[in-house]
Amino acid sequence: MSELSEARIPDAPAIQRLPLVQLILVGLQHVLLMYGGAIAVPLIIGQAAGLNREEIAFLINADLLVAGIATIVQSLGIGPMGIRMPVMMGASFAAVGSMVAMAGMPGIGLQGIFGATIAAGFFGMLIAPFMSKVVRFFPPLVTGTVITSIGLSLFPVAVNWAGGGAGAVQFGSPVYLAVAALVLATILLVHRFMRGFWVNISVLIGMCLGYAICGVIGMVDLSGMDQAPWLQIVTPLHFGMPKFELAPILSMCLVVVIIFVESTGMFLALGKITGQDVTPRMLRRGLLCDAGASFFAGFFNTFTHSSFAQNIGLVQMTGVRCRSVTIVAGGLLIVLSLLPKAAFLVASIPPAVLGGAAIAMFGMVAATGIKILQEADIGDRRNQLLVAVSIGMGLIPVVRPEFFAHLPMWMSPITHSGIAMATLSALALNLLFNILGGHERAAVNDCHAHTH
């Protein structure tokens, strides 16, 4: 095995020295995987707010800048912030429903969204120390269930990409399926026949091959690249001073709580993958960075930020567990935010190419959850019920997103997030079955022990 694949995250702030070329290539994998998700939120909100193409491009650059800075702080650890693990940050989907509604409200618009984001980020920094104490409510039974649900809730994204993108006219066309299959097959063959460094960049190899073939057959659209400037600096408060209105602020504060619930599950998943115990202190640092990034984002023309679940699958699949890689990836995001032409080039990767890689990686997240569940007493019928119901609840927004359409709007950050639904269900059922019913179960177990 190469030096890189053997890397582990140190407890101390010191960072392992790894070959620069390897760091850049593995960091680039992280960027390519999360890029589509990172630019989707500003794209959706920009369109809802009626912005023109140049202003939407500015929103995307602002998002990349904040995501890059937040990724570096989260991975490196600066002051009281940053969990010091290989975490990628980006704009959170949890707030999209609320923000689209705000964009169309008279007197709210983008400035109201930015004001609510700043206020919610400040609220998040206040409650992070309290939220970090919930680690003890996440035994392997709950953690494994949540991580399995994260993988399953990401899977529709991979399938949509593999079919050519959710809005593709010829969705499921044999050409799209062939490209996705080629990327997936390349990744699998690299894992089977190669070692060390090549395995670490298997996703990049598969995606580069897929992109090259798409370029040859005319699937790569570079129209409009000539109009993109070479250099653009993101300036704070570009759209004017933020507005602070009570209803949007309350809605975004709820979103921050949901982000914290999701991030807690992701941090615990990453801890399992990297062989590191996530302590309450580490969790507090990680959640503070999530909230701090959102606070900072409101001033820099972007939205609530959180840790990205899809990158956890990449850490698991490549075996590259050192945080130096995500620090480099954060630097690459900052460079992309300054160079619109380079960002445009990355955005031209066809969805089918991403889909082939995502099928393997999102599946790896679910596989990690199943592995963690082996540490729990899964033979116990109540625990089986907890897993079954929680995964089922997590799949409701995935299978039928409109299932909760008639519930109040303020509940949408919870009801539209499979991860939040599964996490809250697993926590509640674990409280009911194993914590509140702990004495009764101990007596039953003793009884079984004596009869055997």
Side-chain angles (χ1 to χ4, degrees):
M1 293 292 279
S2 73
E3 176 190 2
L4 188 57
S5 59
E6 299 247 324
R8 292 291 182 275
I9 304 169
D11 293 327
I15 298 169
Q16 289 139 320
R17 295 186 180 277
L18 300 170
L20 184 61
V21 174
Q22 293 187 18
L23 279 181
I24 291 171
L25 289 176
V26 183
L28 183 59
Q29 280 185 144
H30 276 286
V31 170
L32 294 180
L33 179 65
M34 61 84 70
Y35 192 87
I39 68 171
V41 176
L43 202 57
I44 292 166
I45 306 306
Q47 288 168 346
L51 301 184
N52 61 37
R53 188 168 177 167
E54 287 73 27
E55 287 174 326
I56 290 175
F58 186 89
L59 270 188
I60 289 171
N61 286 350
D63 185 66
L64 294 175
L65 175 68
V66 174
I69 293 168
T71 296
I72 291 171
V73 173
Q74 191 70 279
S75 304
L76 182 63
I78 296 176
M81 292 184 183
I83 199 166
R84 295 175 176 169
M85 292 169 76
V87 175
M88 293 296 293
M89 300 279 290
S92 171
F93 275 90
V96 167
S98 303
M99 291 192 296
V100 167
M102 287 179 215
M105 286 180 191
I108 303 294
L110 269 184
Q111 291 164 306
I113 292 173
F114 296 144
T117 301
I118 292 166
F122 183 72
F123 168 75
M125 287 191 281
L126 292 179
I127 66 166
F130 305 101
M131 290 289 289
S132 66
K133 300 190 190 311
V134 301
V135 175
R136 64 194 182 93
F137 295 110
F138 281 84
L141 178 68
V142 173
T143 307
T145 303
V146 170
I147 295 164
T148 304
S149 294
I150 291 172
L152 294 176
S153 65
L154 285 170
F155 222 74
V157 177
V159 174
N160 275 331
W161 282 345
V169 178
Q170 297 275 316
F171 183 83
S173 157
V175 177
Y176 297 142
L177 302 188
V179 168
L182 175 77
V183 173
L184 179 58
T186 303
I187 292 168
L188 295 174
L189 290 171
V190 169
H191 272 263
R192 171 61 183 84
F193 293 107
M194 305 187 90
R195 294 285 179 271
F197 172 62
W198 298 107
V199 170
N200 298 342
I201 61 164
S202 59
V203 174
L204 187 62
I205 294 169
M207 288 176 69
C208 285
L209 181 62
Y211 188 84
I213 288 172
C214 286
V216 170
I217 62 177
M219 275 175 62
V220 176
D221 180 16
L222 294 175
S223 59
M225 190 170 176
D226 293 341
Q227 283 77 45
W230 281 103
L231 183 70
Q232 186 175 40
I233 305 297
V234 175
T235 49
L237 305 178
H238 178 81
F239 295 94
M241 289 299 289
K243 293 179 185 173
F244 297 94
E245 303 282 344
L246 185 60
I249 287 172
L250 292 175
S251 175
M252 292 295 260
C253 285
L254 176 62
V255 166
V256 165
V257 174
I258 300 306
I259 286 172
F260 279 4
V261 171
E262 293 181 350
S263 291
T264 298
M266 291 174 207
F267 292 148
L268 292 169
L270 206 49
K272 293 287 185 184
I273 290 167
T274 57
Q276 193 170 15
D277 285 331
V278 177
T279 62
R281 179 175 174 272
M282 286 174 67
L283 186 57
R284 184 182 75 240
R285 292 178 62 91
L287 296 179
L288 268 175
C289 186
D290 274 10
S294 298
F295 179 77
F296 179 69
F299 290 104
F300 272 81
N301 323 291
T302 185
F303 314 104
T304 48
H305 273 54
S306 67
S307 313
F308 265 38
Q310 50 261 54
N311 292 83
I312 294 171
L314 186 59
V315 174
Q316 167 75 329
M317 197 170 81
T318 61
V320 182
R321 300 176 173 95
C322 65
R323 59 205 171 100
S324 321
V325 168
T326 47
I327 292 169
V328 168
L332 291 173
L333 285 173
I334 293 171
V335 169
L336 285 173
S337 78
L338 299 172
L339 304 174
K341 281 190 188 294
F344 195 102
L345 192 64
V346 175
S348 71
I349 297 173
V353 173
L354 292 169
I359 285 171
M361 280 175 297
F362 298 170
M364 285 296 276
V365 177
T368 301
I370 294 167
K371 180 167 175 272
I372 294 166
L373 280 172
Q374 292 173 346
E375 299 172 29
D377 180 12
I378 207 66
D380 186 297
R381 191 170 299 170
R382 288 186 193 173
N383 287 349
Q384 290 172 9
L385 199 56
L386 180 152
V387 174
V389 171
S390 300
I391 288 178
M393 293 296 287
L395 285 175
I396 290 173
V398 172
V399 177
R400 291 300 293 265
E402 72 277 21
F403 188 83
F404 296 111
H406 297 290
L407 292 182
M409 183 70 190
W410 65 266
M411 292 182 69
S412 63
I414 304 170
T415 56
H416 283 76
S417 167
I419 299 170
M421 291 285 289
T423 303
L424 294 173
S425 172
L427 285 170
L429 290 178
N430 186 55
L431 193 66
L432 175 68
F433 289 158
N434 298 326
I435 297 177
L436 298 179
H439 299 301
E440 169 206 337
R441 301 197 67 190
V444 170
N445 290 338
D446 286 345
C447 180
H448 279 306
H450 288 310
T451 56
H452 292 302

